[in-house]
Amino acid sequence: MKYRILGRTGLKVSVIGFGGIPIQRISEEMAGSIINTALDLGINFFDTARGYTDSEAKIGAALKKRRKEAIIATKSMARTRESMAADIQTSLETLGVDYIDLYQLHNVKDEAALEQVLSPNGALAALVEAKKDGVVKHIGITGHIKGVLIEALKTGQMETVQFPFNAVETSGAGELFELANNLEAGIIIMKPLAGGALKNAGAALRFILEYPVTTVIPGMDSLQQIKQNALVGEDQHPLSGDERKELEEEAGSLGNAFCRRCEYCLPCPQGIDIPTVFLLDGYYTRYGLQDWARERYRGLPVKAGSCLECGQCEEKCPYGLSIRRMLADAAARLD
Ligand code: SF4
Ligand code: SF4
């Protein structure tokens, strides 16, 4: 396994990390076996979140006897100082650890959210405090909107930045790579397979590792996936001309049917959270998390079925998605 340094955290992380979303759907025993195999194959970076139901608990249980070999990253959607302090405590208890290597502000998606987390009573203040206390070693941020992440990095407070980057979703990444590298912020890449839409995992991962990123964290829930992905981390030979062409063609074919969660389509006058509906639908169709996705969907204040087909969202979507049709399909599955 190859390793890179996670920016100024100084942590030496495997170029292939472990994305903690899919283990929600497997047993604790299976999760333990997968995580231990990952460690045996040199994967040492494990990313989870407060919001991924039992993912923190499964990762914590599996790493109990091998804590020193692992770098644990988690994150919380908390926006206030008080709620972040509570979530840090919950994460420590759920993971069963004395400290967390990296705690991230989760999915900071617009200027207002960024302003809130950076304010004196915002979530960042709780992370800084936890870092002083030694229970959080490093602080990072995650999100989908590159402009917001750039502003966050410019504060100089973020030691890492995590965002989606893959053969389908390259736009705006160059500026973020450059800034992060200039500021020595570690770069963690999520959704390397475009939410499961890219089928050739090996080529998709090697494509990303050609860029100045630190680690790529595909979600993994089988021993076969762990072994295949770990191989990429051992041998990062460049894509061949044919592989590159194939990947570009695949990415091109997804162009009209794949939500990048950029949120340009919002606000919907009916109040439908369009990207979240598509996210949950993706969990349903691509990750096999049917019950989990339906439960989350039930919690949305406005359902996809409330769409009046005004078409405003489609005019704003830079990817030309047929949002009305996609919402109707999602509603049929999730309602
Ligand atoms: S078409 Fe439907 S989802 Fe899109 S903006 Fe109009 S009401 Fe909202
Ligand atoms: S539907 Fe289009 S505009 Fe809305 S989040 Fe997805 S990609 Fe972005």
Side-chain angles (χ1 to χ4, degrees), residues 66-110:
R66 303 178 72 176
R67 173 68 183 97
K68 290 203 175 107
E69 293 172 61
I71 292 164
I72 300 177
T74 191
K75 47 194 173 297
S76 158
M77 291 286 293
R79 297 294 181 245
T80 64
R81 184 180 193 146
E82 200 183 356
S83 56
M84 181 56 97
D87 269 3
I88 293 167
Q89 195 51 41
T90 307
S91 290
L92 287 163
E93 285 164 15
T94 310
L95 284 159
V97 295
D98 299 332
Y99 67 93
I100 290 162
D101 299 277
L102 174 66
Y103 212 105
Q104 301 153 104
L105 296 155
H106 191 177
N107 197 18
V108 179
K109 57 185 186 182
D110 52 34

Side-chain angles (χ1 to χ4, degrees), residues 268-270 272 274 306-313 323-324 327:
C268 153
Q270 286 293 94
I272 300 170
I274 299 166
S306 308
C307 173
L308 296 175
E309 305 218 343
C310 70
Q312 286 181 31
C313 53
I323 297 175
R324 288 172 282 192
L327 281 177

Side-chain angles (χ1 to χ4, degrees), residues 39-152:
L39 278 172
D40 293 342
L41 294 172
I43 292 173
N44 72 346
F45 184 72
F46 296 84
D47 183 80
T48 178
R50 271 284 61 240
Y52 301 164
T53 61
D54 61 4
S55 175
E56 277 185 341
K58 282 174 174 160
I59 287 178
L63 293 177
K64 218 169 195 77
K65 291 190 184 140
R66 303 178 72 176
R67 173 68 183 97
K68 290 203 175 107
E69 293 172 61
I71 292 164
I72 300 177
T74 191
K75 47 194 173 297
S76 158
M77 291 286 293
R79 297 294 181 245
T80 64
R81 184 180 193 146
E82 200 183 356
S83 56
M84 181 56 97
D87 269 3
I88 293 167
Q89 195 51 41
T90 307
S91 290
L92 287 163
E93 285 164 15
T94 310
L95 284 159
V97 295
D98 299 332
Y99 67 93
I100 290 162
D101 299 277
L102 174 66
Y103 212 105
Q104 301 153 104
L105 296 155
H106 191 177
N107 197 18
V108 179
K109 57 185 186 182
D110 52 34
E111 297 292 339
L114 181 61
E115 206 174 297
Q116 193 185 6
V117 296
L118 296 178
S119 69
N121 275 322
L124 180 64
L127 289 172
V128 170
E129 219 159 278
K131 193 175 166 185
K132 269 193 207 133
D133 294 343
V135 293
V136 163
K137 299 294 179 191
H138 302 283
I139 297 170
I141 188 165
T142 83
H144 290 256
I145 311 298
K146 301 197 173 66
V148 174
L149 297 176
I150 284 171
E151 289 311 309

Side-chain angles (χ1 to χ4, degrees), residues 2-277:
K2 300 264 192 314
Y3 297 85
R4 293 180 185 172
I5 302 298
L6 189 65
R8 62 183 188 275
T9 70
L11 295 168
K12 192 175 163 189
V13 299
S14 48
V15 292
I16 299 295
F18 185 93
I21 292 177
I23 55 164
Q24 293 171 91
R25 66 165 174 253
I26 58 175
S27 68
E28 186 173 323
E29 193 188 356
M30 187 63 196
S33 164
I34 284 172
I35 289 165
N36 273 286
T37 303
L39 278 172
D40 293 342
L41 294 172
I43 292 173
N44 72 346
F45 184 72
F46 296 84
D47 183 80
T48 178
R50 271 284 61 240
Y52 301 164
T53 61
D54 61 4
S55 175
E56 277 185 341
K58 282 174 174 160
I59 287 178
L63 293 177
K64 218 169 195 77
K65 291 190 184 140
R66 303 178 72 176
R67 173 68 183 97
K68 290 203 175 107
E69 293 172 61
I71 292 164
I72 300 177
T74 191
K75 47 194 173 297
S76 158
M77 291 286 293
R79 297 294 181 245
T80 64
R81 184 180 193 146
E82 200 183 356
S83 56
M84 181 56 97
D87 269 3
I88 293 167
Q89 195 51 41
T90 307
S91 290
L92 287 163
E93 285 164 15
T94 310
L95 284 159
V97 295
D98 299 332
Y99 67 93
I100 290 162
D101 299 277
L102 174 66
Y103 212 105
Q104 301 153 104
L105 296 155
H106 191 177
N107 197 18
V108 179
K109 57 185 186 182
D110 52 34
E111 297 292 339
L114 181 61
E115 206 174 297
Q116 193 185 6
V117 296
L118 296 178
S119 69
N121 275 322
L124 180 64
L127 289 172
V128 170
E129 219 159 278
K131 193 175 166 185
K132 269 193 207 133
D133 294 343
V135 293
V136 163
K137 299 294 179 191
H138 302 283
I139 297 170
I141 188 165
T142 83
H144 290 256
I145 311 298
K146 301 197 173 66
V148 174
L149 297 176
I150 284 171
E151 289 311 309
L153 280 180
K154 284 179 181 168
T155 65
Q157 308 239 45
M158 308 300 157
E159 293 168 89
T160 65
V161 60
Q162 179 177 155
F163 57 96
F165 174 70
N166 54 58
V168 186
E169 188 165 8
T170 53
S171 106
E175 195 184 341
L176 201 41
F177 288 149
E178 197 182 333
L179 182 66
N181 281 306
N182 286 343
L183 295 171
E184 291 183 89
I187 299 177
I188 302 160
I189 298 301
M190 60 160 123
K191 302 200 169 40
L193 310 183
L198 295 170
K199 297 290 171 246
N200 184 341
L205 294 173
R206 278 162 52 221
F207 170 87
I208 295 165
L209 290 173
E210 289 178 355
Y211 289 82
V213 307
T214 317
T215 183
V216 183
I217 53 167
M220 298 183 262
D221 64 358
S222 75
L223 291 174
Q224 194 196 6
Q225 286 170 355
I226 291 274
K227 286 174 190 166
Q228 279 174 354
N229 292 342
L231 272 181
V232 175
E234 277 171 29
D235 172 21
Q236 299 160 44
H237 61 280
L239 291 175
S240 68
D242 282 349
E243 284 174 323
R244 196 176 302 278
K245 195 166 159 248
E246 216 170 275
L247 191 60
E248 281 167 5
E249 279 172 5
E250 194 183 11
S253 73
L254 287 168
N256 285 330
F258 175 70
C259 173
R260 280 85 163 170
R261 304 195 66 212
C262 67
E263 305 192 356
Y264 292 136
C265 53
L266 299 179
C268 153
Q270 286 293 94
I272 300 170
D273 184 345
I274 299 166
T276 298
V277 172

